[in-house]
Amino acid sequence: MNLRISEAHYKMLRQAANVSFRPGVENRPETGCILTIAEKGHSTNPSLLVTEVMMPGRGDLSESRRDGLVLSAGFLRKALLRCRDRGFLGFLTVHTHPLSTERVGFSEYDDEQDPRLMRNLYDLQPGGIFGSLVLGRDCVAGRTWSG
């Protein structure tokens, strides 16, 4: 499924990721944000539409290291409540892999933790769509879960 994002939301996404890709900085940390999404129904080309970029505030990142990022339970809860309140379909967690440039993929940690998180989110909002994106400097990979 395609993901559609406005130019303004894309700029915010890149701003959230910027610290991970700043040249000349050693040990750049992983960072991230949350994208709330809606479904753009189209008979031949259905897609997900980014409705909001939730930038992390104080305490929203439990860990932000060179080799890992953990979004706080409070940040995830805030995103889930925002989706419910505004009628959004769900959300995508976003994090960076600072050493990736032209190709990026999910780490073993991502592969272990994402399915657990997504199952929990789906239990809390059946019918929702949840997923994750990982950003490299010039690339992105993504996956979604539902039902």
Side-chain angles (χ1 to χ4, degrees):
M1 184 171 284
N2 292 324
L3 178 67
R4 301 176 73 76
I5 186 168
S6 70
E7 183 176 352
H9 286 142
Y10 180 75
K11 285 180 180 178
M12 290 178 70
L13 174 63
R14 293 311 298 180
Q15 178 186 349
N18 185 44
V19 69
S20 293
F21 305 111
R22 201 170 291 149
V25 176
E26 288 188 40
N27 298 321
R28 296 172 293 211
E30 288 190 17
T31 190
C33 61
I34 293 177
L35 305 178
T36 60
I37 54 173
E39 193 166 29
K40 183 170 174 53
H42 188 279
S43 59
T44 59
N45 191 19
S47 59
L48 299 175
L49 177 66
V50 174
T51 54
E52 186 175 355
V53 179
M54 295 180 63
M55 303 291 271
R58 173 174 247 119
D60 287 338
L61 303 179
S62 296
E63 295 179 28
S64 178
R65 302 180 320 265
R66 182 177 60 85
D67 62 344
L69 177 76
V70 178
L71 303 177
S72 73
F75 192 34
L76 293 166
R77 182 178 186 279
K78 189 183 333 178
L80 186 61
L81 292 175
R82 184 155 309 159
C83 288
R84 286 181 182 167
D85 291 346
R86 298 186 181 174
F88 299 150
L89 184 61
F91 63 82
L92 306 173
T93 61
V94 180
H95 72 283
T96 59
H97 283 182
L99 300 178
S100 296
T101 55
E102 295 176 9
R103 294 186 66 195
V104 69
F106 291 95
S107 68
E108 286 183 27
Y109 179 82
D110 299 334
D111 289 341
E112 180 183 308
Q113 296 300 315
D114 273 358
R116 293 178 187 173
L117 172 61
M118 300 310 158
R119 275 193 302 276
N120 287 335
L121 292 170
Y122 189 77
D123 286 346
L124 295 169
Q125 185 167 323
I129 293 181
F130 300 96
S132 58
L133 297 177
V134 60
L135 306 176
R137 189 190 69 205
D138 300 317
C139 49
V140 63
R143 55 190 177 191
T144 60
W145 282 262
S146 61

